Every structure is written in C-alpha cells, then in structure tokens.
C-alpha cells in the first residue's frame, strides 16, 4: 500500500475532477490506480450518447495502457488506418499509411466516443478511492492556501466538498476557465463544416479519404463495426439550417461515394477553433482538455491532446500530495503541455490548408508537389509514416538535458515502447515491465555490470527501480534487476542509437528526464529528488520487483 498523505487529511478528497469526458475519465482512472482519493463530477446524467471524437493515436493508447485500459479499448477500435488524398478528379495524389509502432500501438485507431466513455466510466469501479457523481453541477468554488472549496448541486440538493486540487475538464466553454478570467489565445475558423455520421456504410475503403477540391472539401473517416463519418466544408451562403436538412446532406454524400442512402445517426454543423488558454493553472485549479485548448479536427488531435494532459498531470498531482515543495512539479504541467498542444493545433491548421485549397491553382500546386515527393524515398516516407506529426517531446520542464547536439538529444522525449524479450522467452511491450515509479533504464550489452550493490541501494532508497535493456543483437543474462532485449530495435535507431552504454531516467509518464553514461549513473540519484516527493515518500511499486525478476528469468 502507498504511504499515507502527509498533508491535511480533513479535505473530503485529494483531487476533484470536473467533467467526465475522455480527459476527465482518464485522469480519474490514472489517479485511482495510484490510490489517490478522487471525485469526478459531471453535470450530465451520463456519458455522451453522440459520436464526437473518432480517432485515438498511439500516444493516447499508451496513456490508456498506463491506466490498464488499452486491451479493452483495443476491442472497440478499428486499428491502424491511414489517409488517402484525392484531387477534384478523384485521382490519388498522396497516401499516409503508417505501419511503425514506435510507442507500442498503431498510430491511428478509429472508435466511437460513446463506447469509449462508457468503458472508461465503468472502469472507475475498479478503484475504491474514486467516486463518480453524474447529474451533478459545480456551481461555485474558492481557493485558500491549502485547499479548494467547492459547491456542488445534484439530485439531492447542494453539498460542499473540499479538495487539495481541482482539475477542470469541463469543455471548450469551460465555466471554470471563465470564472478564473482566463482568456483564450488563437483564432476561430470562419469556414463551418457539416458532420454526417452514418449507422452503416457501403464504402469499403479501410482508410480515411480526403477530397481536396476547392469546390467542396470533404473528409470521410472509417469507424469500427461498419460505420462511417463524412465531413463537408460549407460554402458561402450555406447556412446551418440549410445544411442540416437531410436532403442537403444526401446530395453531398452522393458526390463522394456510395453512401447517399445509408441511415444517418447525426447531421450537425460545426465551426472549428484553433485556440490555447493563456494559462493552464490558477493556484490549485488546473485546466485540461478542451478547457485548455481547442484544436481543428484535420489532424485528429483534439481529444488526444486532452488525454496527453491527463497522463502528464496525474502523476504530478500524486507526487505533489506528499511533496514538501510541490511547486516545481505543478508548474511543469503548463511548461510542458502548452507548447506541445499548440504544435498540434498548428499541425491541424497546416493539414487544413492541404485539405482546403483556396483555388484550383493552389490545389494543382499542392498535388504536383506531393507527386514529386514520391520520387524521393526519404520525403515519401516522411509523409507515409506520419513523421510530420510533432514528436512527444518537451523543451523545458522536469528535464536535465545532456550537452549533446539537438539531433542526438533524447532528454525530453517519450521513450519508445518496443516489444522486448524476457529471459523467460516472453515477448511483451516495454511498459509491461515498468512499474508506476521513476525508472533508471540501463541500455547496454551488459547492464548487470553497471551498478554496484551500494549504488543500487541508493537508487531504490530514492524511489526508483532499475531495469536493464540490451540491444537487439545481445542476449541479456540474469541479474539482480529485470533485464530484457530490445526486439523491435527502436533503441538502435536515431536518436537513441548514440546512447549505448547510457542510463535513462524515465519519469512515471515514460518521458526521458535525464541521460548519462553508465559510468556516471550515480548522478541520477540527485535528479530523482525532483521526480518524487522525497526520500522514503515515493509511491510503492505496483509489482514485486524481486518476484518480477524471478518470473522474467523463468525461475
């Protein structure tokens, strides 16, 4: 069991999560897995019953894996789809079909949001430390030096709740953000889009199709279980009232495929935003998900950015509850996440420019450029493997960069998640053997020789776990700590290939916070104090490391 919180225990809960969309539900599940006393409140009676977000990426799947939900979510997704770009004549001029699984999962996975949210809500029952109140609205809150006092109104009337921290995941119109007088930076797209969700489809294309036509841009996206979504750009003079008529929608469907007569689930006009909150925190109150950022849909990153928020913030809140000085942990949330969220917004805007050419001439120039890139393999792979998507990487935050060139630098990056081979000849994803603690990952042909008994004791006392990983060409041997082999060779590729005989300090969200040669491994002990609540106050392992070592060795 985890250690008791050192702070005032008179608060009703440690963390109050406002809003039970995907961001809030993942945050509550992560905190529940950490044993944090959490309450999640949602003004609606249940989770959503209409499709909204439709794509989960590999980084989000890894966050769901941290919450123990990846296998269940995989059962409700269509995994590994890409994109096909077509010109006005229907001819293909570019394809994006990524197959690499750098972080352990397919880069694009289709799903239905009602199914996902219902699954995540049901998963909260696994955690005795989490309570969920639906049909309950937060009507007021105020902060003091040590808590947030909140008024809730639900079916049984009003109640008062106090929490150490509050996280507002209450959507793009966030009442919490408005109450804190936090403005949004950015812009609103002037072009409205019509969203048409179908119950069934005759379009058998496995991938997204993008019709880059100046006369009418259109995107059609696959879904699990034989469903499909169409998104049409509306032209000047076409109002929401006009576009949401069934006859209008069916005319548009007839232009791009065989689904003109399929039953419709939803027909709705949306105007998209590209905006970021001026600040993501006010005292003990944090913004996450759409409350903090609004992303155009063209890169499929709106919900995914919110899930990244939850993965980044959960472990920091957990540590802050025990830390003598939690401010560096808490301040790093905005420092790390805000720039990356804006990168995703900018990516969506750039992709929108490809999908929505401003004229026939601009469209022809885009198509010619993409066709020319096919002749140059590195450029072709850059697009085909989605390498244009910004990597999960932070420039500032809880990081201690080494003095290498930027090309080689791995500090601030999410560590890849290869399939690894254990001594017992099991083949599992790397995170399967990483406990929910800071990890010192020793990348070497002989990791067992890198640590003395004294240094190992110091590392464990500081709250970390040692794991060894050998390159794909070298078999591991039994050691006093788990050791595996990099089957997928991700650590043998740039930029990690330059780090053989190095040790990586991994945070609980799997980002590299420091990297040193194995000869300097003792330096990481000092870094650990910034990632945990202090000596002796780190969270307990979520597995018995000795038992794991024996099991992996097949003994």
């Amino acid at each position: 069991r985890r250690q008791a919180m050192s702070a005032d225990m008179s608060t009703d809960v440690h963390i109050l999560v406002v809003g039970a969309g995907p961001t809030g539900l993942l945050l509550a599940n992560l905190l529940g897995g950490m044993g944090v006393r959490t309450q999640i409140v949602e003004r609606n009676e249940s989770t959503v019953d209409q499709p909204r977000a439709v794509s989960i990426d590999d980084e989000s799947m890894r966050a769901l894996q941290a919450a123990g939900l990846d296998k269940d979510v995989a059962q409700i997704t269509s995994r590994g789809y890409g994109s096909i770009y077509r010109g006005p004549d229907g001819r293909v001029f570019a394809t994006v079909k990524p197959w690499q699984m750098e972080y352990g999962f397919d880069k694009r996975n289709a799903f239905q949001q009602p199914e996902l949210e219902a699954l995540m809500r049901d998963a909260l029952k696994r955690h005795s430390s989490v309570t969920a109140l639906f049909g309950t609205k937060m009507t007021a809150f105020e902060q003091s030096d040590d808590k947030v006092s909140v008024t809730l109104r639900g079916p049984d009337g009003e109640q008062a709740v106090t929490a150490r921290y509050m996280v507002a995941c209450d959507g793009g119109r966030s009442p919490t953000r408005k109450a804190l007088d936090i403005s949004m930076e950015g812009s609103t797209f002037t072009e409205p889009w019509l969203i048409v969700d179908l119950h069934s489809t005759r379009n058998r294309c496995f991938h997204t199709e993008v019709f880059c036509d100046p006369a009418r841009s259109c995107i059609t996206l696959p879904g699990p279980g034989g469903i499909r979504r169409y998104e049409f750009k509306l032209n000047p003079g076409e109002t929401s009232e006009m576009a949401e008529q069934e006859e209008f929608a069916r005319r548009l469907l007839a232009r791009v495929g065989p689904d003109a007569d399929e039953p419709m689930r939803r027909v709705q006009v949306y105007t998209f935003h590209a905006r970021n909150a001026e600040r993501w925190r006010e005292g003990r109150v944090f913004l996450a998900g759409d409350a903090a950022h609004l992303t155009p849909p063209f890169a499929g990153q709106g919900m995914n950015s919110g899930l990244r928020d939850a993965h980044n913030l959960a472990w920091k809140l957990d540590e802050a509850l025990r830390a003598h000085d939690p401010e560096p942990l808490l301040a790093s949330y905005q420092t790390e996440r805000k720039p990356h969220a804006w990168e995703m917004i900018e990516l969506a805007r750039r992709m929108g420019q490809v999908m929505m050419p401003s004229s026939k001439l601009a469209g022809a120039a885009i198509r010619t450029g993409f066709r020319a890139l096919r002749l140059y393999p590195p450029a072709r792979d850059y697009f085909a493997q989605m390498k244009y998507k910004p990597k999960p990487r932070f420039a500032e935050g809880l990081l201690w960069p080494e003095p290498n060139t930027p090309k080689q630098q791995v500090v601030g990056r999410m560590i890849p998640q290869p399939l690894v081979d254990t001594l017992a000849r099991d083949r599992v994803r790397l995170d399967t053997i990483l406990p929910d603690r800071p990890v010192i990952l020793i990348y070497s042909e002989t990791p067992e020789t890198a640590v003395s008994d004294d240094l190992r004791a110091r590392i464990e006392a500081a709250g970390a776990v040692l794991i060894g990983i050998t390159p794909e060409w070298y078999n591991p041997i039994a050691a006093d700590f788990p050791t595996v082999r990099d089957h997928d060779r991700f650590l043998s590729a740039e930029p990690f290939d330059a780090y053989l005989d190095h040790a990586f300090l991994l945070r609980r969200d799997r980002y590299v916070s420091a990297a040193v040669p194995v000869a300097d491994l003792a330096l990481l002990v000092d870094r650990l104090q910034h990632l945990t609540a202090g000596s002796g106050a780190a969270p307990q392992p979520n597995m018995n490391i000795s038992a794991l070592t024996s099991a992996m060795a097949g003994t």
Side-chain angles (χ1 to χ4, degrees):
R1 298 297 298 169
R2 60 185 294 109
Q3 283 192 311
M5 302 296 177
S6 60
D8 178 13
M9 299 297 288
S10 64
T11 52
D12 294 317
V13 294
H14 294 128
I15 311 296
L16 179 68
V17 180
V18 181
T23 301
L25 288 167
L26 177 58
L27 181 60
N29 272 285
L30 289 168
L31 291 169
M34 298 169 187
V36 175
R37 197 161 70 245
T38 304
Q39 186 170 84
I40 181 169
V41 299
E42 167 58 50
R43 63 187 302 167
N44 295 312
E45 295 293 334
S46 186
T47 50
V48 298
D49 58 5
Q50 292 291 326
R52 294 177 183 174
V54 293
S55 181
I56 307 176
D57 68 12
D58 50 348
E59 298 167 45
S60 292
M61 286 299 298
R62 194 172 190 180
L64 290 163
Q65 181 186 8
L69 296 174
D70 56 306
K71 291 182 176 61
D72 291 334
V73 172
Q75 296 302 310
I76 63 170
T77 61
S78 178
R79 288 171 275 174
Y81 71 94
S83 296
I84 298 171
Y85 290 80
R86 301 182 183 274
D89 59 0
R91 291 173 56 201
V92 176
F93 68 87
T95 59
V96 178
K97 296 181 180 178
W99 53 265
Q100 294 178 341
M101 294 195 289
E102 183 178 359
Y103 302 115
F105 299 92
D106 292 296
K107 291 185 182 295
R108 301 180 73 196
N109 307 278
F111 75 107
Q112 296 190 70
Q113 189 166 338
E115 289 186 1
L116 176 68
E117 289 194 11
L119 184 158
M120 297 172 77
R121 178 184 180 180
D122 190 60
L124 294 175
K125 298 174 184 176
R126 302 172 301 165
H127 309 298
S128 60
S129 63
V130 179
T131 57
L133 299 178
F134 281 76
T136 301
K137 181 180 179 180
M138 184 192 70
T139 58
F141 68 92
E142 61 180 17
Q143 303 187 56
S144 62
D145 290 341
D146 60 351
K147 63 181 181 292
V148 184
S149 300
V150 181
T151 303
L152 304 176
R153 185 171 67 235
D156 299 323
E158 287 195 346
Q159 62 174 302
V161 175
T162 58
R164 294 284 304 285
Y165 299 101
M166 184 173 87
V167 184
C169 309
D170 50 354
R173 299 178 180 178
S174 171
T176 306
R177 187 186 67 233
K178 293 177 181 178
L180 294 171
D181 196 25
I182 297 176
S183 62
M184 296 291 280
E185 305 166 332
S187 60
T188 295
F189 276 57
T190 57
E191 305 93 345
W193 283 67
L194 176 67
I195 309 299
V196 181
D197 285 303
L198 302 180
H199 283 289
S200 59
T201 181
R202 296 186 181 189
N203 185 337
R204 296 181 63 180
C205 183
F206 177 73
H207 304 286
T208 293
E209 293 179 292
V210 184
F211 296 85
C212 305
D213 186 350
R216 172 90 65 186
S217 299
C218 170
I219 309 167
T220 168
L221 303 98
I227 64 171
R228 202 160 189 98
R229 166 175 290 185
Y230 289 80
E231 301 178 356
F232 299 95
K233 179 178 174 291
L234 296 184
N235 291 326
E238 295 175 341
T239 65
S240 296
E241 292 75 17
M242 177 192 308
E244 290 176 356
Q245 297 299 312
E246 181 176 342
E247 181 181 356
F248 183 94
R250 292 202 180 280
R251 285 203 308 270
L252 298 189
L253 289 170
R255 292 165 54 98
V256 292
D259 284 338
D261 297 324
E262 293 303 300
M264 296 180 178
R265 180 175 183 178
R266 183 181 66 146
V267 180
Q268 190 166 351
V269 172
Y270 278 92
T271 300
F272 302 126
H273 304 274
R275 312 187 76 183
N276 209 344
E278 177 187 13
R279 60 187 187 279
W280 290 26
R281 175 193 174 200
E282 182 73 34
R284 291 178 172 270
V285 179
F286 298 81
L287 304 180
D290 285 355
H293 43 77
L294 294 167
T295 307
F298 310 119
Q301 289 299 307
M303 183 199 73
N304 290 293
S305 286
L307 298 183
R308 293 187 195 102
D309 297 342
H311 199 197
N312 184 282
L313 186 57
W315 71 273
K316 295 175 180 178
L317 290 171
D318 180 42
E319 297 289 355
L321 292 170
R322 293 179 305 276
H324 297 296
D325 178 16
E327 184 57 28
L329 280 161
L330 301 178
S332 70
Y333 169 60
Q334 175 177 315
T335 300
E336 294 173 355
R337 284 293 308 132
K338 183 178 178 181
H340 190 266
W342 186 253
E343 283 188 285
M344 291 301 171
I345 292 171
E346 288 290 285
L347 171 66
R349 294 175 65 156
R350 291 193 299 271
M351 293 182 67
Q353 292 170 355
V354 174
M355 297 175 183
M356 300 182 296
S358 57
S359 66
K360 291 183 179 179
L361 182 61
I366 290 170
R367 294 192 297 278
T368 300
F370 272 97
R371 287 176 179 136
L373 290 175
R374 294 181 190 173
L375 303 176
Y376 182 52
R380 180 190 62 214
D381 291 345
Y382 178 79
F383 287 98
Q385 295 300 320
M386 286 183 63
K387 294 180 181 178
Y388 54 81
K389 177 186 172 188
K391 290 286 188 183
R393 181 177 183 179
F394 307 133
E396 297 180 272
L398 295 175
L399 314 169
W400 296 272
E402 74 286 358
N404 287 2
T405 66
K407 183 177 180 181
Q408 293 178 319
Q409 192 174 76
V410 301
V411 171
R413 292 177 181 261
M414 181 183 282
I415 194 83
Q417 185 180 193
L419 286 171
V420 296
D421 291 335
T422 73
L423 295 177
R425 294 180 294 281
D426 293 321
R427 185 166 291 170
V428 298
R429 293 191 185 112
L430 176 62
D431 287 7
T432 305
I433 67 163
L434 301 184
D436 186 17
R437 296 175 68 183
V439 169
I440 292 180
L441 184 68
I442 303 173
Y443 178 45
S444 169
E445 291 181 343
T446 56
E448 71 282 354
T449 67
V451 189
S452 66
D453 290 343
D454 176 67
L455 180 55
R456 180 186 172 197
R458 289 173 57 201
I459 289 170
E460 293 178 351
V465 170
L466 282 166
I467 304 284
I469 185 166
T470 64
E472 60 85 18
W473 64 83
Y474 220 79
N475 283 320
I477 64 173
D480 291 334
F481 48 88
T483 304
V484 295
R485 184 181 73 92
D486 174 18
H487 171 270
D488 281 346
R489 309 184 183 193
F490 283 129
L491 298 183
S492 299
E494 288 188 345
F496 289 89
D497 58 339
Y499 286 82
L500 187 64
D501 292 322
H502 278 66
F504 306 116
L505 177 56
L506 306 184
R507 310 179 337 176
R508 292 170 65 183
D509 58 359
R510 311 315 186 202
Y511 279 77
V512 180
S513 61
V516 299
V518 291
D520 300 326
L521 195 149
L523 295 176
L524 297 183
V525 177
D526 293 332
R527 305 303 188 198
L528 275 167
Q529 65 180 316
H530 301 283
L531 302 181
T532 68
S535 179
Q540 298 303 305
N542 60 0
M543 63 181 75
N544 184 296
I545 297 299
S546 297
L548 174 64
T549 303
S550 299
M552 291 174 61
T555 59

